[in-house]
Amino acid sequence: MNFRTKRISTLAFAATAIVFVAGCHKKSTIVPPSLPPAISTPAPTATLTAVPESIQPGQSSTLTWTTTGATDISISSVGPVKSSGSTTVTPVSTTTYTLTARGDGGSTSSTATVSIAVPNAPPAAPDTSNLTNDQIFHQQVPDIYFDYDSYEVNSEGQAAVQKAVRFLNANSQIAIVIGGYCDSRGSTEYNLALGASRADAAKDALVKGGVATGRIRTVSFGKEKPFCTEENESCWQQNRRAAFSVDK
């Protein structure tokens, strides 16, 4: 073998060795690119209120609500609603309303209760089993009191008139006498006239309430038959009255 042939063989062997050694190296692992973290959808929120929360039968209450992150919203007894708003309800009994909000992030709810107030029971009728007819009469037909030097039926007197009217209209067989009284101040003649005016004012108030005029008789006692004899305002007030009694 000449020098040229020997050199070519040496170069070929070297190239083969390089390829062999390179082929023996372990291949590198290819790592895929990392994915961005998943974005979670927030859960919906919901708030429901009722104003007022307590009502009388036949009255109304206003429901007000707000939501976020919801696509399906409804209120029990009302139906589907928008994401926020208000509506009027008139329940016939105590009712709890539930707002339900659903979205991609889940669902949530809120409640509001509208209470129907129970009407107060009417006051029990007074026990009159141990009272005489005269006592029952004076209980239901109270005297009317007047301000000084006046025969005008004031607000307290009007309340007494209304009570008397109810009783007298329910017991149409009863005829009455109204006595007009005054305190000790002033002349006898003046107080007789003032007492008559007070009795007439009480009679007019009863007649306006529906009591027949023929069932009512009036008389003035002026200051001659006082209920109280002390000389002070408390006593004088007791004497300024129109007093009722059964006309027997």
Side-chain angles (χ1 to χ4, degrees):
M1 178 181 298
N2 60 29
F3 176 78
R4 177 180 175 82
T5 303
K6 185 177 180 179
R7 180 175 175 80
I8 293 173
S9 298
T10 300
L11 292 174
F13 176 81
T16 303
I18 292 171
V19 172
F20 177 80
V21 172
C24 290
H25 284 295
K26 187 177 181 180
K27 294 182 178 180
S28 300
T29 303
I30 300 176
V31 179
S34 59
L35 298 176
I39 300 176
S40 60
T41 302
T45 65
T47 302
L48 177 66
T49 60
V51 179
E53 295 181 341
S54 180
I55 59 176
Q56 298 293 327
Q59 293 181 337
S60 298
S61 178
T62 299
L63 299 178
T64 302
W65 68 91
T66 58
T67 65
T68 61
T71 56
D72 181 11
I73 309 161
S74 63
I75 300 176
S76 59
S77 302
V78 175
V81 295
K82 296 181 179 180
S83 59
S84 63
S86 62
T87 189
T88 300
V89 293
T90 310
V92 297
S93 60
T94 297
T95 302
T96 297
Y97 295 89
T98 301
L99 169 65
T100 302
R102 299 181 179 86
D104 294 338
S107 64
T108 188
S109 63
S110 179
T111 62
T113 299
V114 179
S115 301
I116 305 297
V118 178
N120 294 327
D127 183 8
T128 59
S129 58
N130 295 323
L131 300 180
T132 65
N133 288 338
D134 195 53
Q135 289 173 324
I136 294 173
F137 174 83
H138 286 292
Q139 184 184 73
Q140 298 299 317
V141 187
D143 294 346
I144 298 174
Y145 295 88
F146 295 87
D147 295 328
Y148 174 67
D149 200 30
S150 172
Y151 58 88
E152 181 180 356
V153 180
N154 57 28
S155 57
E156 292 183 2
Q158 290 293 344
V161 167
Q162 292 175 12
K163 185 174 183 180
V165 164
R166 286 193 295 269
F167 178 81
L168 294 172
N169 285 340
N171 296 273
S172 58
Q173 77 283 4
I174 296 177
I176 63 172
V177 178
I178 304 176
Y181 295 83
C182 304
D183 62 38
S184 59
R185 293 169 292 181
S187 67
T188 298
E189 292 77 10
Y190 177 82
N191 282 310
L192 281 173
L194 181 57
S197 296
R198 287 173 174 170
D200 288 340
K203 176 181 178 179
D204 290 343
L206 293 180
V207 171
K208 289 180 180 178
V211 181
T213 303
R215 297 170 58 192
I216 306 171
R217 184 167 60 89
T218 62
V219 59
S220 176
F221 295 99
K223 63 178 183 178
E224 299 305 315
K225 292 185 178 183
F227 292 85
C228 179
T229 58
E230 296 178 10
E231 293 295 315
N232 55 55
E233 178 57 35
S234 176
C235 186
W236 292 331
Q237 177 63 80
Q238 293 180 57
N239 293 329
R240 298 195 298 263
R241 70 169 73 186
F244 299 89
S245 59
V246 177
D247 195 1
K248 300 177 181 178

